[in-house]
Amino acid sequence: MSRRPPRGEYIETDTGNKVARKATLVGTQNIMLGGKTVIQPEVMIRGDLIRSIQSSSSSASGAAPNNTAVSIGRYCFLSRGCCLRPPGRLYKGAFTYMPLRMGDHVFVGPGSVVQAASIGSHVHIGARVAVGEFAIIKDYVRVLDGTVIPPNMVIPSFSIVAGQPARLIGEVPEGGHEAFELRDLYKTVGNNPQPAPS
Amino acid sequence: MAAFVPYTYFQCPCSDSSTLAQSSGSNSPSSAHPDPDDGGIDDDSDRAFDPRAPRSNYSLYPLEYLLYCEDCHQIRCPRCVAEEIVTYYCPNCLFEVPSSNLKSEGNRCTRSCFQCPICIGPLAVTSIETKPDPNLLAAPDSASHSGPYALTCSYCNWTSTEVGIKFEKPNSIHAQLAKLRNGGTSRLTAKERKERRKDPAYTSQRAAAGSERESSDWQEDLDLETQFANLKLFYQSQLADPNSADHGLSSLGDLGFSSPSSLSRIMSIYTGGSLHDKKAKSRVGAMREALESDEGLQLADLDESAAISRLRQEGYDGTASTEQLLEQPPNLGEEHLHGRARFTAELRPIPYLLRTKRSKRCPVCRHIISKPEAKMQTTRFRIRLVAGSYIPSIAIRPLSLSGAGGSFSSSSTTTVPGAPLEPLKPAHFLLTFKNPIFETVKVTLGTPARTPGRFASKVTVLCPVFEIGANTDVWDEALKDSSGSDRDGRRRRGKGDEGGGGGSGGGGLTNQIEVGKIWERGRNWVSIVVEVMPASLHLREDEGDLPLREEEDVLEIPMFVRVEWEADVGGDEVGSAAHGRDSKEAREKRELAYWCVLGLGKIRRS
């Protein structure tokens, strides 16, 4: 903290995103950040894994192809060494990746690998968690450290899950909703971090 | 070993009969203050709260788990609230299940949501490819959506084909599975069973089988459902049979199972009639038990050799664990368990248990204190009275004074968090009380001078009485920041650094920490210092000391917190815990008192 690199460890964008210079973002044009999101060093986001087949019939075919691979909401916090990777599967006989969507106030712990199809808002993913392909995590979910969420698993709101494979171990209590807020955590990192309020 | 994280648990008054009486009756203001100087205990609960008492396990909760009843002005915990189910939904497909369906179809999802019986991971419906033909890749659409389907687990690669279950359609798996037994044979419905009995081919086959074996021993293998149906049919015919009742009672009408006479008749079978009168006795012979498999008799198959040989083959790993068996839903199409062990190869896919959204009521006044929106998708609450927005939260931080506080840029004067406490060396902790309400509150703390339990640590709260500012607008703080509180805090810290230059000795400490002074204060928070002298964990086993129990090395201090504030008199409030001393200004004095437990750290083992 005392010895800072001269340029600043983070790139701070106009929308308040704080992206570490040492983070690995592949295919940045396919990564959408909602703003005020922190990306710590050694984070990897695989924006290059885009949809190889456009969903032809369902979406408007005339419009520009939507190539978003990873979309992240506001006040998300991606800890050191975590990886966001869009999930892929066979679709109509051909392999394709699907976009990874993430809501607001999502914390991803260090060393976690996320391959979910969608993650809601106010989700806390602990350290060393593996979120399987096409998992769906709804709002206000706490995933404890070391959990392995199997592919295709759906985790409803207010769940606390843990274990390998993940199983429901509890419910988020009514008074625990505010603990998911990441506004204060956002302020504690960056080029001129503020101390955490006591 | 994981680092110790300091914690604060609050006691819900529901477990304590004295506080319950206190909350319902008028709160006498004469109840003695907890005397902080000698750490004495207040009089109204005549003993200190012992966090290690077995009862305490059930009444201590982190603040997030507690609710607050605005009418009773009391803390409510998950154990004492009354819950009411608002919505049922499947945790996998997230469909809401109406309660009428619940009565008819049970508490499991009746769509295609299944859990793996081995690892409880979710199962996905996949088609079983007949032949991986490379030519088919050219025209994938026609090829991939055909053929029989199976449930597969993407976590442990279990598939339902392992128990011989395949499905014809990829949808409504639950209905298809209900008709299937393990091994793929279909389960008979009641109608089919009846028809089978009439079927001449079946009866002849049965007769042949009967002649093959000794005729008296032969019996049909009944599954649970068939046996129950047969038995029920048999007993109903027995009850309806006019010959079985030689007294005039049953001739009064067709008495069903629920009539007292048939009940006493059934009872007389099992009690041997000795307890009953003569009438009942004479009726004993009138009813007989089932004798054939058609009547629901199933002889126990005591030959376990098949199970034993299978156990030899598959070993312990082949048997199902208790957890796996518990997860299994009751399966009516199943065979009897006579002489059978349970193997993992017999487990069936588990339909997802439904989950609920629940509202919570205060147990005393029956007011709703938490009510979620009924819709499954929304996460909002209509009513959510959590204790965290009524009572001050307590945060614990270790305070190191010898380290000269580190740099000025950070406010942290912390040691390595989670480090074990040295026995018999005074340690200091910073307790930060944060006031969530819009009034200034006065807090009074009381702790026993020595912690209860075998290893009594000394505890001193250096500033047991203080006031916390109201939780006003954030802008107020921003305006005040330039002039008031912040500078004050900085000054205090600066002075501490001057005084404690080399200070590990006792003299240095007194310069820094002043008794009766607040360490630091902010808009709606106050930090105070607690000094503890951890006890030595030395055991003298030759004198019969028991070995250290689990968690006994954690230094936990019970603390009685009394919060007083003045509030506007609400229109409809009864004000049970309030006394209107200055009621003319429509302000009433409120107080709330409760025990909490501070887990400060682990004491280093000697």
Side-chain angles (χ1 to χ4, degrees), chain B residues 231-341:
Chain B
L231 264 179
K232 194 177 161 197
L233 203 72
F234 169 70
Y235 282 127
Q236 261 168 347
S237 68
Q238 285 276 298
L239 287 171
D241 194 358
N243 298 335
S244 65
D246 40 351
H247 288 272
L249 267 174
S250 60
S251 62
L252 290 171
D254 189 20
L255 297 170
F257 283 110
S258 53
S259 77
S261 74
S262 47
L263 191 71
S264 71
R265 194 160 48 184
I266 290 167
M267 285 304 291
S268 71
I269 293 172
Y270 295 110
T271 53
S274 58
L275 297 171
H276 292 262
D277 54 39
K278 269 187 180 174
K279 267 187 192 170
K281 221 173 199 171
S282 64
R283 256 186 258 139
V284 172
M287 249 179 89
R288 63 183 182 85
E289 281 293 354
L291 288 175
E292 284 178 74
S293 51
D294 268 354
E295 294 169 350
L297 177 72
Q298 178 82 33
L299 292 180
D301 184 11
L302 299 177
D303 180 22
E304 294 191 328
S305 53
I308 291 167
S309 68
R310 197 159 165 206
L311 261 180
R312 283 224 180 88
Q313 233 172 44
E314 299 186 15
Y316 180 71
D317 293 335
T319 56
S321 67
T322 321
E323 290 83 37
Q324 287 170 340
L325 288 179
L326 279 174
E327 293 282 352
Q328 283 285 304
N331 176 19
L332 292 175
E334 206 171 6
E335 292 164 57
H336 262 278
L337 275 177
H338 295 152
R340 282 205 310 139

Side-chain angles (χ1 to χ4, degrees), chain B residues 495-515:
Chain B
K495 193 173 137 199
D497 277 338
E498 282 167 33
S504 62
L509 292 178
T510 46
N511 280 346
Q512 289 180 318
I513 300 171
E514 292 162 82
V515 174

